[in-house]
Amino acid sequence: MNGSTDSHSPPRLSKSRVVAGWKCPRYLWWKVHNKDAPELQPSVADQDRMDQGKRIGRLATERFPGGVEIEYAPDELDRMARETRAPLDAGAPAIYEASFFEDGVFVAVDILERLDPGQSTEAFRLIEVKATSSLKDEHIPDAGVQLHVLRKAGIDVREVALMHLNKGYRHPGPDDLFVLNDITEQAEAFQPEIPALLDFCRAALSGDDPGPIIGEQCTRFECPLLNTCWPTEPDHIRNLNGVGLKTALKHMEAGVHSFGDLPADARISDKARRQLQSIQSGELKLEPTLTSDLQRFRGHLGFLDFETIMRAEPPWDGLAPYEQVPVQFSYHERLPHGTVTHTEWLAPDTEDPRERLARALVEATRDADGVVVYTGYEKRCIKALKEAVPELEPELDELLSRLLDLEKVVGRNLAHPDFKGKTSIKYVLTPLVPELTYEGMDVADGMTASVRLARLILEPDTFSEEAREAERRALLEYCKLDTLAMVRLLERLEGLVGG
């Protein structure tokens, strides 16, 4: 057995393929028959999540010393299954990537732990490791399929556990980074569903692309095929402000597919109604309250944006898994006479940057009457800095009292057809300030910035000196545009009200 198939046999099933089929048959079909499609290629953030998952998996095995690892290779599945027999027969206390192929399904168990090692019993605990901080719905079929295959292989699995990250952990402890969550009952309860699920997956793979499938399954996970199934017309109901996929499904079931299908007395938000008015007119829609809402944005103003990193394995003291840590900021300042200055800071080394960043932030923002942000993200970052640097709590509290959220002003007062029902600065900027754009930038979105910042700061040895400087410049340039965009956006809004 290996990972390939001939032209006359159906593609083999694996744990990941079965879980994909449980999510959506079309998603499964594409993962097998159209795996090179652009929609399925991992983004920078996707790849980073996978890399972090591998790291967490390696850390988990350290909790089970003396185990034997089966080297994973996607094209050598038969070799993996063969090599699993030796440590099983030798009584190894644990096997990492223990591999089995039964009932037409291949599985590699993250950790197969022998219960009561050294005893005559041959009972095991199946442990699935996830780089999440809680149990998710999809983890049950994942573990359930493994339990099914191992029992078919004659392995006496008595317990099934999910090993995931501990929400209460703070680096460096003393609590463990991991929690072992017993899911035996749920995995056992799933067993009667497996034969039909396997038949369903085989049938899905043996046919042609099933075409667009729209339903409740679209809301269960972030599907990369969403735009290949759902209508992409700008006036589709899912593009109405405040309408998510679940609400869109309810609208569609009631016969409402486009904005034009909405009844005149439909109960929608003020933002959505303003969106519809702007689309109908084809122009920017302004509320008369814009003038009064801008009154607070006067005098000596700062404009602040943070970039953060978050790691499954916390890098610095006091951090929880996936806790966001500010490591960079950009700060523009507009003086009353119109002069605009700029200050920026990016962590220079692998040491915990929070105190240094907080002190630089307090100094940079000291003279501003108000500090403009976009959404509540910066407020959350400053609150996190307060906890990390308690000696600066008074200064950071004072800074919090001066924050002015420009996104709230946009959301309450403006709509434009090209906003597409959104108020994030990436959607708002181009229609209102077309001379500024993120297009063509080496770093052009916050998720990519976060991943590349983490690598730059935590893995500096992976860069040459020249590459490190180029990466710093790209990240500084991206963050700088975020605050310059707020400066220009506010100027545009002031121009719209004549002041």
Side-chain angles (χ1 to χ4, degrees):
M1 181 201 65
N2 55 44
S4 61
T5 63
D6 61 43
S7 59
H8 302 291
S9 62
R12 300 183 188 277
L13 292 179
S14 64
K15 176 193 72 172
S16 62
R17 288 180 177 181
V18 174
V19 174
W22 173 83
K23 291 177 176 178
C24 173
R26 193 180 197 214
Y27 179 53
L28 167 63
W29 194 95
W30 276 53
K31 279 178 69 70
V32 175
H33 295 299
N34 199 16
K35 62 184 178 180
D36 295 326
E39 292 87 348
L40 295 182
Q41 305 317 301
S43 66
V44 171
D46 293 335
Q47 187 61 54
D48 180 65
R49 281 192 291 271
M50 290 187 282
D51 292 343
Q52 289 198 74
K54 291 177 183 177
R55 168 66 179 164
I56 291 301
R58 288 193 295 271
L59 288 174
T61 62
E62 295 175 3
R63 273 62 177 176
F64 302 87
V68 175
E69 181 173 3
I70 307 301
E71 183 181 357
Y72 181 80
D75 296 326
E76 299 178 4
L77 306 185
D78 55 344
R79 186 266 305 161
M80 293 177 64
R82 254 193 339 267
E83 291 184 359
T84 297
R85 298 309 314 182
L88 272 177
D89 295 340
I95 306 173
Y96 322 134
E97 301 291 348
S99 301
F100 303 89
F101 184 82
E102 297 290 340
D103 202 13
V105 184
F106 174 85
V107 301
V109 179
D110 289 333
I111 301 170
L112 185 61
E113 180 191 20
R114 190 182 300 270
L115 299 175
D116 298 321
Q119 302 300 312
S120 59
T121 57
E122 290 286 325
F124 293 87
R125 174 162 55 179
L126 185 163
I127 302 173
E128 175 69 9
V129 180
K130 296 294 184 184
T132 62
S133 55
S134 63
L135 175 68
K136 296 185 177 182
D137 289 345
E138 65 192 63
H139 295 160
I140 301 306
D142 187 319
V145 168
Q146 294 180 71
L147 177 59
H148 172 82
V149 170
L150 266 64
R151 285 188 172 161
K152 288 284 185 180
I155 307 301
D156 184 8
V157 179
R158 303 280 180 86
E159 299 177 21
V160 182
L162 179 73
M163 194 172 184
H164 60 76
L165 297 170
N166 179 5
K167 289 180 181 179
Y169 173 80
R170 297 296 181 271
H171 182 75
D175 294 333
D176 198 328
L177 176 62
F178 293 99
V179 168
L180 203 60
N181 192 345
D182 189 312
I183 57 170
T184 308
E185 184 177 345
Q186 297 97 311
E188 293 281 13
F190 192 76
Q191 294 307 295
E193 300 182 37
I194 290 178
L197 176 59
L198 298 184
D199 289 343
F200 176 78
C201 291
R202 292 185 182 107
L205 289 176
S206 64
D208 296 328
D209 182 348
I213 301 176
I214 298 174
E216 188 273 335
Q217 76 281 350
C218 301
T219 68
R220 291 197 299 206
F221 71 111
E222 293 184 19
C223 181
L225 304 184
L226 199 66
N227 288 331
T228 72
C229 290
W230 284 68
T232 57
E233 290 79 8
D235 67 342
H236 188 263
I237 195 64
R238 74 175 171 122
N239 295 319
L240 187 64
N241 181 278
V243 174
L245 293 180
K246 288 184 178 180
T247 304
L249 283 172
K250 292 180 181 178
H251 278 301
M252 293 162 71
E253 289 168 0
V256 177
H257 295 270
S258 68
F259 297 166
D261 295 332
L262 281 167
D265 60 350
R267 297 179 63 182
I268 60 175
S269 68
D270 290 341
K271 287 183 179 179
R273 194 168 301 282
R274 196 178 305 120
Q275 177 190 359
L276 295 178
Q277 290 170 349
S278 73
I279 291 172
Q280 186 175 20
S281 68
E283 298 176 347
L284 179 66
K285 168 67 177 175
L286 295 180
E287 295 293 343
T289 50
L290 178 60
T291 300
S292 59
D293 278 356
L294 288 177
Q295 290 302 310
R296 297 180 63 208
F297 294 77
R298 299 285 187 181
H300 187 158
L301 290 179
F303 300 79
L304 175 64
D305 179 74
F306 288 110
E307 301 300 335
T308 61
I309 66 171
M310 56 180 187
R311 300 285 91 188
E313 181 188 11
W316 299 302
D317 287 357
L319 293 177
Y322 293 118
E323 183 173 348
Q324 289 187 319
V325 187
V327 295
Q328 178 185 4
F329 73 80
S330 172
Y331 179 72
H332 275 85
E333 197 162 80
R334 189 180 73 174
L335 303 178
H337 54 73
T339 299
V340 176
T341 63
H342 181 246
T343 302
E344 59 192 4
W345 196 92
L346 194 160
D349 51 44
T350 60
E351 298 300 314
D352 187 341
R354 288 173 290 175
E355 180 177 350
R356 289 172 291 171
L357 183 149
R359 293 190 182 281
L361 175 67
V362 167
E363 180 61 29
T365 59
R366 189 180 305 280
D367 297 328
D369 299 320
V371 176
V372 181
V373 296
Y374 208 87
T375 76
Y377 181 70
E378 275 61 40
K379 184 177 183 178
R380 294 192 296 273
C381 288
I382 295 171
K383 287 184 174 180
L385 288 173
K386 278 177 52 182
E387 293 186 14
V389 194
E391 60 268 31
L392 289 179
E393 183 173 341
E395 291 90 339
L396 293 171
D397 272 334
E398 198 276 332
L399 173 57
L400 285 168
S401 72
R402 289 183 282 143
L403 296 186
L404 303 168
D405 189 345
L406 190 58
E407 189 271 343
K408 288 183 178 179
V409 175
V410 172
R412 281 196 298 258
N413 294 283
L414 280 80
H416 188 284
D418 293 338
F419 288 1
K420 303 185 188 305
K422 316 292 185 184
T423 57
S424 76
I425 201 161
K426 299 295 192 300
Y427 283 91
V428 168
L429 185 63
T430 299
L432 296 182
V433 190
E435 65 271 21
L436 285 185
T437 180
Y438 290 85
E439 290 185 11
M441 296 186 70
D442 186 26
V443 180
D445 67 88
M447 289 299 297
T448 298
S450 179
V451 171
R452 289 173 60 169
L453 277 165
R455 184 174 171 226
L456 176 70
I457 295 168
L458 301 175
E459 304 172 24
D461 293 341
T462 62
F463 294 84
S464 67
E465 184 175 348
E466 181 180 358
R468 189 181 307 117
E469 286 306 309
E471 189 75 341
R472 284 183 65 87
R473 286 194 300 271
L475 289 161
L476 289 168
E477 197 64 27
Y478 168 73
C479 196
K480 179 180 180 180
L481 181 55
D482 276 346
T483 48
L484 180 61
M486 285 189 276
V487 175
R488 300 296 178 234
L489 179 57
L490 179 58
E491 291 175 348
R492 173 71 167 133
L493 297 182
E494 290 168 338
L496 289 172
V497 299

